[in-house]
Amino acid sequence: MPLLTIPRNANDPNRNATIAANGYEWTIPSGWSWPDNSISNGTPRLFSYPTYNTPNRIQVTPPASACAGGATPVVRVRAVDTECLVGAQAGYVPTKSAERTLNINCITPPLVIASNRTPQGGPIVLFCGEKLENEKVRPLSMGVPSGGTFSNYVFSVSGIVHSFCCLNSDTPGVYVTGPGTGSIGLTATYTRNGASTIVVVAATAVTVRAEMAPVSLQPIPNSCLGQTIRVQVDPAPGATSYTWSIPYPFSPQGSTTTTLPFLDITSSATALSRDFTIGVATGSNGSGCTASTSTGIVGVGSSVSIVPDASYTDTEICANTSFALSAGINDYRYIPNTTYTYDWTVTQRNGQTGATATYSASGQTIQVTSPGTGDWLDVGLRVSTSCGDFFPTSQSW
């Protein structure tokens, strides 16, 4: 604060002299404490020599609510000439300087509401059936300087968020009754260097979706005839049951509704040469949940085809011609050391009378001879393995 200057007569030889301030009139916000611990009512107070050693510098204490609601406290001060106060007549007004003001910035470290789902804070989104109490909602402070502390945590809840204990702690017990929306609020006291302020944290939105968490079938192992395999999904958060859709020729080992995320199934027929779709749907004890579903394939489309010599791919061939037929195998089951058995049926059919002559053959490749002009050659093939039969195939010339 500069020294005081007062207007003087232009002819006064000391008209440019300054007057040393020997007192200071301070104004602090209502509710703050003066150096003697008395509480301010918001009106000015004079501190001067010799009753106060450092009237130009005083120590005041703000209350915990000093910055509540985003308020910016203001401290005001004037330098005062108190030299003539002693013996002054009633109504005497001492000379004062212009007022100086200081806005008090209430700087506090960031404080947010965190959880296992949102470790750095932010909105909490749960799938239907998930439990908020598993997410461990808690306060998270960041960048707290030395000597600073947060305390007196008070959580609040609204909407679908409820509490079962401990809102006045840093480990609130909260749960949801979704689907729907709600929020979690928090206030706390920040203290540093003897001063405290109440911090109001922005409410954290909580959303529980109507659908359950996505579920995905793990890769289904290959299966042989009579073999039992396990179909399973990654555990779905919030799911309390899994309902399986198992097609013939597979048989479930037990109920098709399980509390665990897997089911053992056994192939009961030789039908592994085409795709089979297995499905699963999740369920929850919670009301209003939409199930999550997933499907997977077992059997993986193995197939067999009749492959003639390159010169005889047309359906019409010359009479009495010898050519080779081979079995084309597409086996995607990756069964190691698989042995294939080939059962061929070759029928010559008279084009006029319909009379037939049939014989059998084996081996991956066979040699056949076409019948006479106007007649037909019908060839059938069935391939078997230790893991089950392929669907049969046939071709005519």
Side-chain angles (χ1 to χ4, degrees):
M1 177 68 69
L3 297 176
L4 288 170
T5 61
I6 59 176
R8 293 177 183 269
N9 189 293
N11 297 321
D12 189 334
N14 296 318
R15 62 182 179 275
N16 294 323
T18 58
I19 301 174
N22 47 17
Y24 292 86
E25 183 183 84
W26 294 88
T27 304
I28 62 175
S30 179
W32 288 38
S33 297
W34 292 108
D36 60 2
N37 293 323
S38 61
I39 304 300
S40 168
N41 61 3
T43 59
R45 181 172 174 179
L46 179 64
F47 291 81
S48 61
Y49 301 107
T51 56
Y52 200 83
N53 290 331
T54 57
N56 63 320
R57 185 176 70 250
I58 64 175
Q59 182 170 322
V60 297
T61 304
S65 59
C67 295
T72 301
V74 180
V75 174
R76 307 174 187 275
V77 64
R78 296 176 185 269
V80 181
D81 173 20
T82 63
E83 187 173 1
C84 297
L85 280 176
V86 179
Q89 297 181 0
Y92 168 76
V93 178
T95 303
K96 301 180 182 181
S97 71
E99 185 179 70
R100 296 292 179 91
T101 60
L102 176 66
N103 292 334
I104 307 298
N105 294 323
C106 298
I107 300 175
T108 59
L111 181 67
V112 299
I113 299 172
S115 68
N116 290 356
R117 185 64 56 91
T118 55
Q120 299 300 316
I124 300 173
V125 179
L126 303 174
F127 287 102
C128 194
E130 289 189 286
K131 297 181 180 296
L132 182 59
E133 51 266 44
N134 294 340
E135 302 302 326
K136 300 188 183 302
V137 173
R138 58 193 179 271
L140 172 66
S141 56
M142 296 171 282
V144 178
S146 176
T149 58
F150 282 101
S151 61
N152 301 327
Y153 298 106
V154 179
F155 284 87
S156 59
V157 295
S158 67
I160 62 168
V161 185
H162 306 272
S163 69
F164 57 87
C165 81
C166 322
L167 288 180
N168 295 348
S169 73
D170 59 356
T171 56
V174 290
Y175 67 98
V176 291
T177 56
T181 59
S183 66
I184 303 173
L186 171 63
T187 62
T189 301
Y190 177 69
T191 304
R192 186 168 186 255
N193 296 332
S196 299
T197 186
I198 296 175
V199 176
V200 180
V201 179
T204 293
V206 179
T207 302
V208 178
R209 301 171 61 171
E211 66 272 17
M212 300 192 65
V215 62
S216 179
L217 271 167
Q218 295 181 7
I220 300 175
N222 299 307
S223 173
C224 290
L225 175 63
Q227 181 183 4
T228 297
I229 60 173
R230 173 164 291 182
V231 290
Q232 57 188 338
V233 297
D234 296 324
T240 56
S241 64
Y242 302 84
T243 300
W244 303 83
S245 176
I246 306 299
Y248 178 83
F250 296 95
S251 301
Q253 302 301 298
S255 173
T256 52
T257 297
T258 64
T259 56
L260 297 175
F262 61 83
L263 178 67
D264 292 333
I265 61 175
T266 302
S267 57
S268 57
T270 57
L272 298 179
S273 53
R274 67 179 179 88
D275 295 350
F276 291 90
T277 301
I278 290 177
V280 62
T282 58
S284 174
N285 291 334
S287 60
C289 292
T290 301
S292 178
T293 61
S294 180
T295 57
I297 301 297
V298 64
V300 202
S302 300
S303 64
V304 62
S305 61
I306 298 174
V307 183
D309 286 347
S311 302
Y312 301 96
T313 55
D314 199 346
T315 55
E316 294 185 0
I317 58 176
C318 295
N320 304 309
T321 301
S322 177
F323 61 99
L325 297 176
S326 298
I329 302 295
N330 292 311
D331 193 347
Y332 301 110
R333 293 170 295 179
Y334 300 108
I335 307 300
N337 303 318
T338 299
T339 300
Y340 298 96
T341 302
Y342 306 91
D343 295 319
W344 297 85
T345 301
V346 181
T347 300
Q348 291 186 349
R349 177 160 46 94
N350 188 288
Q352 295 181 351
T353 65
T356 61
T358 301
Y359 65 93
S360 299
S362 61
Q364 185 173 6
T365 301
I366 63 172
Q367 200 74 21
V368 296
T369 300
S370 62
T373 301
D375 295 339
W376 288 85
L377 180 68
D378 302 320
V379 179
L381 172 62
R382 178 184 294 273
V383 178
S384 303
T385 73
S386 58
C387 199
D389 293 353
F390 289 85
F391 279 158
T393 186
S394 61
Q395 190 167 336
S396 296
W397 286 267

